Amino acid sequence: MKNIYELLEMMRPRPGMYLGQRSLTALRGFIDGYDLASWESGILLEEETPPFRQFHDWIARYYKWNESTAGWKNIILREVGDEAKACDVFFELIELFKQRFPVVKYRVFLNPNHKSTGAIYRRICIDGIYKDLDPPKEIRIVQYITDSGFYRFDVSQDGEISEIGYFETEKLAMEEVNREFEVSLDEWETLNTI
């Protein structure tokens, strides 16, 4: 099954053919339906690079909005003002977004001395029961080429990688890790400079 970028590439030349009209709202509904159908069918879509879930925040920063809670569709529509034009702008913006390439800038491996301070709670809820997540074995700070900010990714004991959040600077990301696990600045390994 196609990932979101493959689906959008297929639709790009004539979105109205798939949507019934050239409309950003219809496109958002189509993407959400595709995601839901994949999930309901138990079909795992290949992770996109960069992850499409980052598009909300990226669009908010692109248009200099203070937050992304309105979602990419509403932000683009408000900025452009017209459904058909907003649909065209979406395809232009998704091409810019896809040019982002992740580079791991810093990493730290947690050891038994790095216990959770309790300042930040990471929990999962299963059947109404909350369970604290185990501390990650590694924390990475990643910057995407063409972006100015940084993302924190945690690597679990099983090797699963989870995006934790976006930060304006690598120092802010490191400070959050310090608050959570008392990791000092000198413990970080520098990997790449852009």
Side-chain angles (χ1 to χ4, degrees), residues 39-134:
W39 183 76
E40 285 286 326
S41 301
I43 298 170
L44 294 175
L45 299 178
E46 183 180 314
E47 176 77 27
E48 309 93 1
T49 301
F52 185 70
R53 68 181 174 274
Q54 293 176 355
F55 194 58
H56 291 293
D57 291 334
W58 184 85
I59 285 293
R61 287 190 303 277
Y62 180 86
Y63 282 113
K64 299 184 178 20
W65 282 44
N66 290 330
E67 58 183 40
S68 64
T69 54
W72 60 261
K73 181 205 58 113
N74 293 324
I75 294 171
I76 295 170
L77 198 51
R78 177 116 16 112
E79 292 291 330
V80 174
D82 172 78
E83 284 280 354
K85 175 106 172 95
C87 189
D88 296 339
V89 167
F90 167 83
F91 282 105
E92 293 168 13
L93 291 172
I94 203 72
E95 287 306 312
L96 284 175
F97 178 75
K98 285 173 21 184
Q99 291 175 16
R100 299 164 70 242
F101 177 81
V103 175
V104 179
K105 303 272 301 217
Y106 306 95
R107 74 176 175 190
V108 65
F109 292 93
L110 298 186
N111 61 48
N113 296 330
H114 295 120
K115 297 196 184 322
S116 175
T117 63
I120 298 172
Y121 290 105
R122 305 233 187 262
R123 294 182 173 161
I124 189 168
C125 182
I126 300 173
D127 297 327
I129 299 170
Y130 287 92
K131 177 187 180 287
D132 289 338
L133 295 174
D134 292 329

